[in-house]
Amino acid sequence: MKYITAIIKPFKLDEVRDALGAAGIQGLTVTECKGFGRQKGQTEIYRGAEYVAHFVPKVKVELVVADDLAEKAVEAIMQSARTGKMGDGKIFVGDVAHVVRIRTGETDNDAI
């Protein structure tokens, strides 16, 4: 099993969700967050005054998938979240040792 975390632009969330659904992914978790990478924040103008927003709004999408779906999920996220501009985000993929569904006690692939 693989744990996939994607940090994406907020306005791309619906496209990513739809692409993952089309790829056969059944569930995910979304968290609103802030951060910065190479773009080092952005300059904003508020009431005529310019200021630097050190942290840019982002969305973190997390999901656990079976090994055979991992590459398909990463490709779906990559294609649907890409704008071609700086700040599109990152995808992190890691291994999951064990999963338990609390309600039924199912484990591992049966639990996801």
Side-chain angles (χ1 to χ4, degrees):
M1 294 172 294
K2 299 292 183 191
Y3 182 78
I4 301 172
T5 302
I7 309 296
I8 62 170
K9 292 182 175 187
F11 68 88
K12 286 296 203 170
L13 179 59
D14 287 337
E15 289 177 53
V16 169
R17 185 197 62 221
D18 293 344
L20 287 169
I25 309 303
Q26 293 182 340
L28 55 89
T29 300
V30 175
T31 307
E32 292 181 8
C33 56
K34 294 181 182 182
F36 70 91
R38 291 184 179 161
Q39 80 265 29
K40 307 280 193 278
Q42 58 192 18
T43 303
E44 299 283 342
I45 296 176
Y46 179 70
R47 292 189 178 186
E50 187 175 288
Y51 69 97
V52 176
H54 293 286
F55 295 100
V56 180
K58 298 288 182 178
V59 173
K60 179 166 62 169
V61 178
E62 301 169 284
L63 54 147
V64 176
V65 298
D67 288 332
D68 60 330
L69 282 177
E71 196 57 43
K72 199 175 194 183
V74 168
E75 189 64 29
I77 295 168
M78 222 170 38
Q79 294 299 322
S80 58
R82 180 180 290 142
T83 66
K85 297 180 181 156
M86 188 178 286
D88 275 352
K90 298 259 189 321
I91 301 172
F92 305 95
V93 181
D95 291 322
V96 174
H98 190 56
V99 176
V100 177
R101 184 186 312 263
I102 295 171
R103 179 177 54 87
T104 62
E106 293 170 299
T107 60
D108 299 329
N109 282 333
D110 293 334
I112 56 174

XYZ file of all heavy atoms in Angstrom:
851
model
N 0.845 -1.181 0.000
C 0.000 0.000 0.000
C 0.884 1.235 0.000
O 1.982 1.213 0.542
C -0.892 0.010 1.234
C -1.912 -1.107 1.263
S -2.766 -1.189 2.839
C -1.436 -1.657 3.919
N 0.360 2.295 -0.590
C 1.104 3.552 -0.679
C 0.287 4.690 -0.077
O -0.936 4.745 -0.220
C 1.420 3.906 -2.144
C 2.265 2.888 -2.860
C 3.663 2.839 -2.310
C 4.498 1.859 -3.119
N 5.767 1.571 -2.518
N 0.985 5.585 0.604
C 0.404 6.798 1.168
C 0.829 7.950 0.263
O 2.021 8.194 0.094
C 0.927 7.006 2.593
C 0.347 8.210 3.296
C -0.927 8.159 3.838
C 1.075 9.381 3.439
C -1.460 9.247 4.491
C 0.558 10.476 4.091
C -0.715 10.395 4.623
O -1.243 11.476 5.271
N -0.125 8.623 -0.347
C 0.169 9.696 -1.288
C -0.311 11.011 -0.695
O -1.469 11.133 -0.284
C -0.513 9.450 -2.648
C -0.028 8.120 -3.242
C -0.260 10.615 -3.597
C -0.776 7.686 -4.480
N 0.594 11.979 -0.644
C 0.266 13.324 -0.198
C 0.576 14.273 -1.341
O 1.689 14.254 -1.872
C 1.102 13.723 1.034
O 0.884 12.789 2.068
C 0.725 15.115 1.512
N -0.389 15.089 -1.716
C -0.184 16.078 -2.775
C -0.509 17.456 -2.223
O -1.552 17.641 -1.590
C -1.069 15.763 -3.974
N 0.392 18.396 -2.454
C 0.161 19.789 -2.099
C -0.136 20.508 -3.413
O 0.708 20.539 -4.308
C 1.396 20.421 -1.425
C 1.900 19.549 -0.266
C 1.088 21.845 -0.981
C 0.946 19.395 0.876
N -1.341 21.061 -3.532
C -1.779 21.631 -4.811
C -2.396 23.019 -4.604
O -2.667 23.425 -3.472
C -2.803 20.715 -5.510
C -4.071 20.555 -4.670
C -2.184 19.354 -5.818
C -5.215 19.866 -5.373
N -2.651 23.704 -5.720
C -3.347 24.982 -5.678
C -4.824 24.726 -5.364
O -5.421 23.779 -5.890
C -3.211 25.701 -7.019
C -1.790 26.146 -7.297
C -1.694 26.891 -8.611
C -0.280 27.412 -8.788
N -0.149 28.280 -9.961
N -5.417 25.554 -4.499
C -6.800 25.310 -4.069
C -7.818 25.216 -5.213
O -8.728 24.390 -5.170
C -7.118 26.511 -3.175
C -5.787 26.951 -2.664
C -4.823 26.690 -3.790
N -7.675 26.022 -6.255
C -8.672 26.017 -7.324
C -8.591 24.762 -8.190
O -9.467 24.526 -9.013
C -8.587 27.281 -8.184
C -7.339 27.397 -9.018
C -7.291 26.850 -10.292
C -6.224 28.061 -8.533
C -6.150 26.968 -11.070
C -5.083 28.191 -9.295
C -5.047 27.639 -10.570
N -7.576 23.925 -7.985
C -7.435 22.680 -8.746
C -8.044 21.477 -8.023
O -8.058 20.369 -8.547
C -5.956 22.397 -9.018
C -5.367 23.298 -10.088
C -6.051 23.022 -11.402
C -5.260 23.415 -12.595
N -5.856 22.912 -13.827
N -8.561 21.678 -6.825
C -9.054 20.563 -6.014
C -10.160 19.763 -6.700
O -10.109 18.530 -6.726
C -9.538 21.064 -4.656
C -10.106 19.991 -3.725
C -9.072 18.906 -3.444
C -10.593 20.610 -2.431
N -11.155 20.420 -7.260
C -12.260 19.694 -7.897
C -11.772 18.854 -9.072
O -12.212 17.713 -9.254
C -13.355 20.659 -8.356
C -14.153 21.219 -7.192
O -14.180 20.577 -6.123
O -14.737 22.309 -7.349
N -10.853 19.400 -9.855
C -10.300 18.649 -10.984
C -9.529 17.420 -10.504
O -9.641 16.340 -11.095
C -9.376 19.535 -11.821
C -10.106 20.600 -12.612
C -9.127 21.484 -13.372
O -8.284 20.946 -14.110
O -9.216 22.716 -13.214
N -8.764 17.592 -9.427
C -7.993 16.465 -8.874
C -8.937 15.397 -8.342
O -8.754 14.203 -8.601
C -7.006 16.954 -7.790
C -6.403 15.786 -7.023
C -5.913 17.811 -8.418
N -9.963 15.810 -7.607
C -10.933 14.851 -7.067
C -11.609 14.061 -8.188
O -11.740 12.836 -8.115
C -11.986 15.577 -6.228
C -12.962 14.613 -5.543
C -14.219 15.283 -5.061
N -14.918 15.838 -6.214
C -15.511 17.026 -6.226
N -15.487 17.795 -5.167
N -16.135 17.444 -7.305
N -12.017 14.756 -9.234
C -12.666 14.092 -10.365
C -11.716 13.128 -11.075
O -12.104 12.023 -11.454
C -13.199 15.120 -11.355
C -14.354 15.949 -10.787
O -14.937 15.531 -9.769
O -14.646 17.019 -11.368
N -10.467 13.539 -11.257
C -9.475 12.680 -11.922
C -9.177 11.434 -11.092
O -9.043 10.330 -11.641
C -8.190 13.461 -12.183
N -9.093 11.588 -9.781
C -8.859 10.420 -8.915
C -10.058 9.479 -8.947
O -9.895 8.261 -8.979
C -8.550 10.865 -7.487
C -7.175 11.489 -7.287
C -7.071 12.132 -5.908
C -6.082 10.447 -7.466
N -11.251 10.027 -8.957
C -12.457 9.197 -9.055
C -12.479 8.411 -10.351
O -12.808 7.222 -10.368
N -12.110 9.061 -11.445
C -12.062 8.380 -12.740
C -10.987 7.299 -12.767
O -11.104 6.329 -13.520
C -11.807 9.395 -13.849
N -9.959 7.449 -11.929
C -8.881 6.452 -11.854
C -9.218 5.306 -10.911
O -8.418 4.390 -10.734
C -7.579 7.126 -11.421
N -10.393 5.345 -10.288
C -10.813 4.260 -9.411
C -10.456 4.449 -7.947
O -10.568 3.519 -7.149
N -10.063 5.650 -7.564
C -9.725 5.938 -6.168
C -11.014 6.297 -5.445
O -11.760 7.169 -5.876
C -8.720 7.106 -6.062
C -7.513 6.890 -6.972
C -8.309 7.334 -4.618
C -6.745 5.630 -6.750
N -11.264 5.636 -4.306
C -12.553 5.786 -3.632
C -12.593 6.848 -2.554
O -13.654 7.361 -2.255
C -12.969 4.456 -3.024
C -13.279 3.420 -4.073
C -13.740 2.122 -3.460
O -13.486 1.853 -2.291
N -14.421 1.314 -4.238
N -11.482 7.174 -1.922
C -11.543 8.134 -0.825
C -10.269 8.944 -0.704
O -9.203 8.521 -1.145
N -10.416 10.126 -0.103
C -9.258 10.973 0.138
C -9.583 11.932 1.272
O -10.733 12.091 1.655
C -8.843 11.723 -1.132
C -9.884 12.574 -1.844
C -9.923 14.003 -1.302
C -9.565 12.609 -3.318
N -8.563 12.563 1.796
C -8.701 13.558 2.851
C -8.108 14.858 2.338
O -7.050 14.851 1.714
C -7.963 13.115 4.127
O -8.521 11.877 4.575
C -8.089 14.147 5.233
N -8.786 15.969 2.611
C -8.331 17.282 2.142
C -8.162 18.202 3.344
O -9.024 18.258 4.218
C -9.348 17.887 1.153
C -8.953 19.290 0.755
C -9.503 16.997 -0.063
N -7.044 18.928 3.364
C -6.759 19.896 4.414
C -6.332 21.205 3.769
O -5.475 21.206 2.888
C -5.603 19.397 5.317
O -5.889 18.087 5.781
C -5.396 20.315 6.499
N -6.927 22.310 4.208
C -6.468 23.615 3.748
C -5.220 23.970 4.536
O -5.163 23.768 5.751
C -7.550 24.676 3.975
C -8.762 24.466 3.100
C -9.820 25.538 3.316
O -9.560 26.530 4.030
O -10.910 25.376 2.761
N -4.202 24.473 3.845
C -2.946 24.796 4.510
C -2.284 25.978 3.817
O -2.801 26.495 2.823
C -2.022 23.583 4.525
S -1.665 22.877 2.907
N -1.159 26.404 4.338
C -0.376 27.486 3.743
C 1.068 27.040 3.698
O 1.516 26.258 4.529
C -0.479 28.763 4.578
C -1.845 29.369 4.618
C -1.835 30.618 5.448
C -3.233 31.208 5.524
N -3.230 32.452 6.284
N 1.814 27.563 2.729
C 3.223 27.233 2.643
C 3.878 28.002 1.523
O 3.259 28.849 0.880
N 5.143 27.700 1.295
C 5.847 28.301 0.172
C 6.966 27.374 -0.253
O 7.441 26.547 0.508
C 6.395 29.697 0.500
C 7.537 29.691 1.471
C 8.847 29.610 1.016
C 7.310 29.763 2.830
C 9.910 29.613 1.901
C 8.354 29.755 3.728
C 9.659 29.683 3.256
N 7.343 27.517 -1.490
C 8.453 26.764 -2.042
C 9.393 27.739 -2.709
O 9.753 28.755 -2.130
N 9.715 27.470 -3.929
C 10.642 28.330 -4.656
C 10.105 29.722 -4.917
O 10.857 30.659 -5.097
C 11.022 27.688 -5.985
C 11.865 26.467 -5.796
C 12.296 25.906 -7.115
N 13.127 24.747 -6.888
C 13.368 23.825 -7.783
N 12.849 23.930 -8.981
N 14.136 22.801 -7.503
N 8.767 29.874 -4.945
C 8.215 31.192 -5.238
C 8.376 32.158 -4.065
O 8.174 33.344 -4.207
C 6.751 31.102 -5.690
C 5.762 30.938 -4.568
C 5.386 29.503 -4.285
O 6.167 28.588 -4.499
N 4.200 29.296 -3.791
N 8.724 31.663 -2.874
C 9.003 32.494 -1.691
C 7.861 33.435 -1.334
O 8.067 34.577 -0.972
C 10.271 33.325 -1.905
C 11.487 32.541 -2.312
C 12.138 31.888 -1.127
C 13.516 31.366 -1.438
N 13.545 30.088 -2.076
N 6.652 32.987 -1.456
C 5.507 33.836 -1.152
C 5.117 34.655 -2.369
O 5.600 34.447 -3.468
N 4.239 35.605 -2.171
C 3.785 36.422 -3.285
C 3.472 37.835 -2.805
O 3.175 38.052 -1.643
C 2.570 35.801 -3.950
C 1.390 35.601 -3.017
C 0.316 34.732 -3.650
O 0.556 34.027 -4.597
N -0.883 34.813 -3.109
N 3.525 38.792 -3.700
C 3.202 40.179 -3.379
C 1.717 40.414 -3.607
O 1.182 40.043 -4.635
C 4.027 41.135 -4.263
O 5.409 40.846 -4.065
C 3.766 42.571 -3.895
N 1.074 40.999 -2.629
C -0.355 41.289 -2.698
C -0.562 42.791 -2.543
O 0.257 43.484 -1.953
C -1.110 40.573 -1.568
C -1.007 39.064 -1.582
C -1.895 38.420 -2.615
O -2.841 39.073 -3.090
O -1.642 37.258 -2.947
N -1.685 43.289 -3.039
C -2.064 44.678 -2.810
C -3.397 44.670 -2.075
O -4.368 44.067 -2.536
C -2.176 45.458 -4.137
C -0.805 45.514 -4.807
C -2.724 46.849 -3.873
C -0.816 46.184 -6.158
N -3.427 45.316 -0.903
C -4.638 45.365 -0.088
C -4.896 46.828 0.266
O -4.052 47.476 0.892
C -4.471 44.512 1.168
C -5.670 44.534 2.066
C -6.855 43.912 1.703
C -5.622 45.200 3.288
C -7.962 43.936 2.525
C -6.720 45.232 4.125
C -7.881 44.602 3.741
O -8.990 44.639 4.555
N -6.030 47.349 -0.145
C -6.414 48.741 0.098
C -5.318 49.715 -0.334
O -4.976 50.648 0.366
C -6.770 48.954 1.561
C -8.028 48.231 1.962
C -8.479 48.613 3.323
N -9.720 47.924 3.625
C -10.427 48.138 4.699
N -10.040 49.016 5.587
N -11.537 47.470 4.900
N -4.730 49.414 -1.489
C -3.728 50.303 -2.055
C -2.328 50.118 -1.528
O -1.384 50.697 -2.040
N -2.163 49.333 -0.481
C -0.835 49.103 0.091
C -0.315 47.740 -0.355
O -1.051 46.752 -0.362
C -0.894 49.167 1.604
N 0.949 47.711 -0.730
C 1.559 46.459 -1.176
C 2.211 45.756 0.016
O 2.857 46.394 0.844
C 2.616 46.765 -2.239
C 3.190 45.530 -2.891
C 4.143 45.885 -4.025
O 3.669 46.346 -5.080
O 5.346 45.694 -3.825
N 1.995 44.459 0.114
C 2.660 43.689 1.161
C 3.005 42.309 0.618
O 2.468 41.882 -0.394
C 1.794 43.583 2.415
C 0.565 42.720 2.252
C 0.559 41.400 2.666
C -0.597 43.228 1.663
C -0.565 40.604 2.504
C -1.721 42.442 1.503
C -1.693 41.141 1.934
O -2.802 40.347 1.764
N 3.906 41.634 1.299
C 4.345 40.309 0.860
C 3.650 39.261 1.715
O 3.729 39.297 2.947
C 5.877 40.153 0.974
C 6.301 38.741 0.604
C 6.581 41.170 0.105
N 2.948 38.344 1.062
C 2.335 37.201 1.755
C 3.381 36.096 1.760
O 3.676 35.520 0.725
C 1.078 36.765 1.033
N 3.963 35.843 2.923
C 5.054 34.867 3.009
C 4.571 33.432 2.815
O 5.349 32.572 2.424
C 5.787 35.006 4.341
C 6.522 36.303 4.458
N 7.683 36.549 3.777
C 6.234 37.427 5.150
C 8.102 37.773 4.054
N 7.239 38.322 4.884
N 3.320 33.184 3.121
C 2.766 31.851 2.947
C 1.624 31.908 1.941
O 0.737 32.742 2.042
C 2.273 31.278 4.277
C 3.381 31.065 5.252
C 3.632 31.972 6.266
C 4.196 29.947 5.145
C 4.660 31.773 7.158
C 5.230 29.738 6.026
C 5.463 30.656 7.033
N 1.646 30.994 0.987
C 0.657 30.945 -0.080
C -0.400 29.896 0.275
O -0.051 28.804 0.722
C 1.356 30.568 -1.407
C 0.357 30.497 -2.540
C 2.454 31.571 -1.729
N -1.694 30.187 0.070
C -2.729 29.184 0.340
C -2.546 27.960 -0.551
O -2.319 28.077 -1.754
C -4.028 29.897 0.003
C -3.704 31.345 -0.016
C -2.258 31.453 -0.387
N -2.646 26.789 0.047
C -2.520 25.515 -0.660
C -3.567 24.553 -0.107
O -4.218 24.826 0.896
C -1.125 24.897 -0.460
C 0.027 25.728 -0.991
C 0.055 25.706 -2.489
C 1.236 26.505 -3.022
N 1.319 26.463 -4.451
N -3.705 23.419 -0.766
C -4.570 22.343 -0.292
C -3.731 21.078 -0.251
O -2.983 20.791 -1.190
C -5.784 22.149 -1.228
C -6.582 20.923 -0.838
C -6.674 23.372 -1.199
N -3.837 20.344 0.853
C -3.134 19.069 0.972
C -4.147 17.941 0.785
O -5.164 17.884 1.481
C -2.460 18.946 2.338
C -1.728 17.629 2.514
C -0.785 17.615 3.707
C -1.449 17.819 5.012
N -0.560 17.553 6.167
N -3.880 17.087 -0.194
C -4.738 15.940 -0.494
C -3.977 14.690 -0.070
O -2.833 14.490 -0.471
C -5.061 15.873 -2.004
C -5.910 14.663 -2.318
C -5.746 17.147 -2.460
N -4.605 13.861 0.762
C -3.962 12.639 1.253
C -4.826 11.434 0.919
O -6.042 11.488 1.060
C -3.769 12.719 2.768
C -2.907 13.902 3.200
C -2.948 14.102 4.695
O -3.970 14.631 5.183
O -1.965 13.723 5.361
N -4.190 10.364 0.479
C -4.910 9.129 0.196
C -3.997 7.929 0.356
O -2.782 8.043 0.248
C -5.514 9.157 -1.212
C -4.592 9.455 -2.376
C -5.061 8.700 -3.604
C -4.632 10.941 -2.680
N -4.604 6.799 0.637
C -3.887 5.519 0.717
C -4.489 4.622 -0.347
O -5.712 4.476 -0.435
C -4.026 4.873 2.115
C -3.364 3.514 2.145
C -3.425 5.788 3.176
N -3.612 4.037 -1.169
C -4.077 3.187 -2.266
C -3.280 1.895 -2.292
O -2.178 1.814 -1.748
C -3.944 3.903 -3.640
C -4.798 5.146 -3.685
C -2.511 4.234 -3.954
N -3.841 0.893 -2.935
C -3.116 -0.364 -3.157
C -1.932 -0.079 -4.077
O -1.956 0.859 -4.878
C -4.045 -1.395 -3.794
N -0.892 -0.886 -3.958
C 0.329 -0.680 -4.751
C 0.048 -0.552 -6.244
O 0.652 0.278 -6.926
C 1.324 -1.822 -4.511
C 1.965 -1.755 -3.142
O 2.093 -0.638 -2.595
O 2.350 -2.804 -2.608
N -0.877 -1.364 -6.755
C -1.133 -1.352 -8.199
C -1.859 -0.096 -8.679
O -1.895 0.191 -9.870
C -1.886 -2.611 -8.625
C -3.234 -2.758 -7.931
O -3.383 -2.289 -6.791
O -4.139 -3.341 -8.541
N -2.442 0.695 -7.768
C -3.117 1.937 -8.141
C -2.260 3.177 -7.920
O -2.641 4.271 -8.337
C -4.408 2.106 -7.336
C -5.616 1.295 -7.767
C -6.777 1.530 -6.813
C -6.026 1.663 -9.185
N -1.108 3.018 -7.285
C -0.307 4.176 -6.895
C 0.134 5.015 -8.087
O -0.038 6.237 -8.094
C 0.901 3.727 -6.078
N 0.686 4.392 -9.097
C 1.176 5.145 -10.251
C 0.029 5.829 -10.992
O 0.157 6.954 -11.461
C 1.960 4.228 -11.192
C 2.821 4.975 -12.183
C 3.822 5.932 -11.534
O 4.453 5.564 -10.527
O 3.957 7.063 -12.030
N -1.097 5.144 -11.064
C -2.285 5.713 -11.708
C -2.780 6.945 -10.941
O -3.166 7.950 -11.535
C -3.371 4.632 -11.746
C -4.469 4.852 -12.729
C -5.384 3.634 -12.715
C -6.307 3.625 -13.898
N -7.231 2.498 -13.867
N -2.747 6.872 -9.614
C -3.180 7.994 -8.781
C -2.231 9.181 -8.929
O -2.675 10.327 -9.071
C -3.264 7.568 -7.315
N -0.938 8.926 -8.918
C 0.044 9.995 -9.078
C -0.118 10.673 -10.435
O -0.106 11.903 -10.541
C 1.485 9.458 -8.896
C 2.514 10.479 -9.343
C 1.723 9.039 -7.452
N -0.304 9.888 -11.462
C -0.482 10.442 -12.813
C -1.756 11.279 -12.884
O -1.768 12.357 -13.500
C -0.525 9.310 -13.839
C -0.491 9.766 -15.271
C 0.796 10.469 -15.674
O 1.861 10.171 -15.110
O 0.727 11.350 -16.553
N -2.831 10.814 -12.252
C -4.094 11.560 -12.250
C -3.929 12.907 -11.555
O -4.412 13.937 -12.041
C -5.191 10.738 -11.583
N -3.228 12.908 -10.427
C -2.993 14.160 -9.703
C -2.127 15.096 -10.544
O -2.419 16.280 -10.690
C -2.333 13.899 -8.339
C -3.283 13.119 -7.430
C -1.917 15.212 -7.682
C -2.635 12.560 -6.186
N -1.052 14.550 -11.100
C -0.122 15.359 -11.881
C -0.817 16.037 -13.061
O -0.651 17.233 -13.289
C 1.025 14.479 -12.387
C 2.364 15.120 -12.280
S 3.734 14.004 -12.591
C 3.212 12.949 -13.886
N -1.600 15.274 -13.800
C -2.259 15.813 -14.989
C -3.326 16.849 -14.636
O -3.466 17.860 -15.317
C -2.894 14.678 -15.808
C -1.891 13.719 -16.408
C -0.940 14.401 -17.372
O -1.315 15.279 -18.125
N 0.322 13.996 -17.328
N -4.077 16.596 -13.565
C -5.195 17.485 -13.240
C -4.781 18.711 -12.432
O -5.468 19.729 -12.469
C -6.282 16.715 -12.492
O -5.753 16.132 -11.320
N -3.663 18.661 -11.724
C -3.233 19.793 -10.893
C -2.270 20.724 -11.632
O -2.014 21.827 -11.178
C -2.570 19.289 -9.621
N -1.762 20.305 -12.765
C -0.738 21.086 -13.470
C -1.335 22.313 -14.159
O -2.312 22.228 -14.877
C -0.054 20.213 -14.514
C 1.033 20.949 -15.299
C 1.693 20.066 -16.319
N 2.508 19.077 -15.634
C 2.629 17.807 -16.028
N 1.985 17.385 -17.098
N 3.384 16.980 -15.358
N -0.693 23.472 -13.918
C -1.012 24.695 -14.661
C 0.174 25.110 -15.521
O 0.020 25.947 -16.407
C -1.342 25.875 -13.721
O -0.169 26.241 -12.989
C -2.476 25.539 -12.777
N 1.341 24.568 -15.220
C 2.548 24.935 -15.941
C 3.262 26.125 -15.347
O 4.267 26.583 -15.878
N 2.757 26.626 -14.224
C 3.358 27.782 -13.573
C 3.962 27.383 -12.230
O 3.593 26.355 -11.659
C 2.310 28.870 -13.369
C 1.747 29.388 -14.671
C 0.721 30.460 -14.441
C 0.192 30.923 -15.788
N -1.110 31.496 -15.714
N 4.873 28.216 -11.757
C 5.504 27.966 -10.467
C 4.428 27.881 -9.384
O 3.456 28.631 -9.404
C 6.484 29.089 -10.139
C 7.319 28.811 -8.910
S 8.500 30.120 -8.583
C 9.689 29.800 -9.870
N 4.596 26.959 -8.450
C 3.643 26.813 -7.357
C 2.587 25.756 -7.594
O 1.637 25.650 -6.822
N 2.732 24.956 -8.662
C 1.761 23.890 -8.924
C 1.720 22.869 -7.797
O 0.699 22.241 -7.574
C 2.074 23.177 -10.245
C 1.465 23.884 -11.437
O 0.678 24.829 -11.241
O 1.774 23.486 -12.567
N 2.818 22.668 -7.085
C 2.810 21.791 -5.934
C 3.751 20.620 -6.051
O 4.600 20.550 -6.943
N 3.585 19.683 -5.138
C 4.426 18.495 -5.063
C 3.558 17.293 -4.714
O 2.487 17.418 -4.134
C 5.469 18.644 -3.944
C 6.448 19.769 -4.101
C 7.751 19.257 -4.615
C 8.870 20.252 -4.606
N 8.630 21.598 -4.954
N 4.066 16.099 -5.058
C 3.421 14.847 -4.681
C 4.458 14.009 -3.959
O 5.580 13.828 -4.451
C 2.903 14.082 -5.921
C 1.907 14.933 -6.695
C 2.269 12.747 -5.491
C 1.502 14.341 -8.035
N 4.100 13.505 -2.790
C 4.980 12.643 -2.004
C 4.339 11.264 -1.913
O 3.143 11.158 -1.657
C 5.171 13.202 -0.591
C 5.665 14.622 -0.580
C 4.776 15.682 -0.465
C 7.012 14.904 -0.694
C 5.219 16.992 -0.457
C 7.479 16.212 -0.684
C 6.575 17.259 -0.568
N 5.129 10.221 -2.107
C 4.623 8.852 -2.051
C 5.473 8.066 -1.058
O 6.700 8.073 -1.139
C 4.686 8.167 -3.434
C 4.139 6.752 -3.352
C 3.928 8.980 -4.475
N 4.802 7.406 -0.126
C 5.503 6.593 0.864
C 4.797 5.263 1.067
O 3.664 5.061 0.612
N 5.472 4.354 1.733
C 4.909 3.037 2.014
C 4.042 3.071 3.268
O 4.303 3.838 4.199
C 6.023 2.011 2.209
C 6.772 1.726 0.929
O 6.116 1.676 -0.135
O 8.001 1.557 0.972
N 3.019 2.232 3.284
C 2.146 2.071 4.445
C 2.305 0.638 4.925
O 2.132 -0.308 4.148
C 0.667 2.349 4.083
C -0.246 2.040 5.252
C 0.489 3.779 3.624
N 2.629 0.472 6.181
C 2.862 -0.856 6.733
C 1.567 -1.569 7.114
O 1.448 -2.785 6.927
C 3.778 -0.766 7.946
N 0.600 -0.837 7.642
C -0.592 -1.499 8.168
C -1.743 -0.502 8.220
O -1.569 0.651 8.574
C -0.280 -2.017 9.571
C -1.318 -2.916 10.157
N -1.752 -4.063 9.551
C -2.014 -2.830 11.314
C -2.662 -4.655 10.325
N -2.833 -3.907 11.390
N -2.956 -0.956 7.864
C -4.172 -0.141 7.918
C -5.253 -0.963 8.596
O -5.382 -2.163 8.336
C -4.661 0.254 6.499
C -5.965 1.018 6.575
C -3.614 1.062 5.779
N -6.038 -0.322 9.455
C -7.162 -0.987 10.118
C -8.389 -0.095 9.981
O -8.343 1.089 10.297
C -6.885 -1.231 11.616
C -8.097 -1.853 12.293
C -5.655 -2.085 11.813
N -9.496 -0.667 9.493
C -10.769 0.063 9.467
C -11.377 -0.074 10.853
O -11.640 -1.192 11.330
C -11.708 -0.514 8.410
C -13.016 0.277 8.281
C -14.004 -0.377 7.326
N -13.397 -0.750 6.063
C -13.438 -0.019 4.951
N -14.054 1.144 4.961
N -12.872 -0.447 3.845
N -11.612 1.039 11.501
C -12.079 1.038 12.887
C -13.425 0.350 13.035
O -13.626 -0.469 13.943
C -12.141 2.481 13.437
C -10.718 3.057 13.508
C -12.816 2.517 14.801
C -10.661 4.532 13.831
N -14.366 0.641 12.158
C -15.734 0.115 12.286
C -15.796 -1.401 12.225
O -16.477 -2.043 13.028
C -16.630 0.718 11.189
C -18.068 0.215 11.217
C -18.924 0.909 10.151
N -18.388 0.816 8.805
C -18.632 -0.201 7.961
N -19.394 -1.200 8.331
N -18.125 -0.201 6.749
N -15.076 -2.012 11.269
C -15.220 -3.456 11.038
C -14.018 -4.280 11.473
O -14.113 -5.503 11.555
C -15.433 -3.731 9.543
O -14.281 -3.273 8.828
C -16.681 -3.036 9.029
N -12.886 -3.628 11.690
C -11.684 -4.370 12.029
C -10.945 -4.924 10.815
O -9.942 -5.614 10.954
N -11.448 -4.636 9.601
C -10.752 -5.086 8.385
C -9.354 -4.477 8.373
O -9.141 -3.388 8.888
C -11.518 -4.643 7.141
C -12.862 -5.309 6.972
C -13.656 -4.656 5.872
O -13.951 -3.447 5.989
O -13.996 -5.363 4.900
N -8.430 -5.188 7.738
C -7.050 -4.717 7.719
C -6.499 -4.606 6.306
O -7.005 -5.221 5.361
C -6.132 -5.648 8.540
O -6.175 -6.962 7.970
C -6.547 -5.709 10.000
N -5.469 -3.821 6.182
C -4.680 -3.618 4.976
C -5.540 -3.316 3.742
O -6.371 -2.427 3.807
C -3.737 -4.806 4.782
C -2.776 -4.921 5.971
O -2.438 -3.873 6.550
O -2.392 -6.038 6.325
N -5.363 -4.036 2.632
C -6.090 -3.693 1.402
C -7.603 -3.739 1.578
O -8.331 -2.988 0.928
C -5.659 -4.601 0.238
C -4.335 -4.175 -0.356
O -3.965 -3.007 -0.302
N -3.629 -5.127 -0.928
N -8.107 -4.627 2.429
C -9.552 -4.689 2.680
C -10.053 -3.431 3.385
O -11.225 -3.077 3.266
C -9.910 -5.913 3.519
C -9.682 -7.212 2.789
O -9.726 -7.203 1.529
O -9.450 -8.248 3.440
N -9.164 -2.761 4.114
C -9.547 -1.570 4.877
C -9.541 -0.300 4.043
O -10.135 0.693 4.417
C -8.618 -1.395 6.076
N -8.858 -0.339 2.882
C -8.846 0.879 2.081
C -9.856 0.737 0.962
O -10.362 1.607 0.415
C -7.453 1.214 1.504
C -6.884 0.073 0.681
C -6.522 1.586 2.630
C -5.586 0.401 -0.021
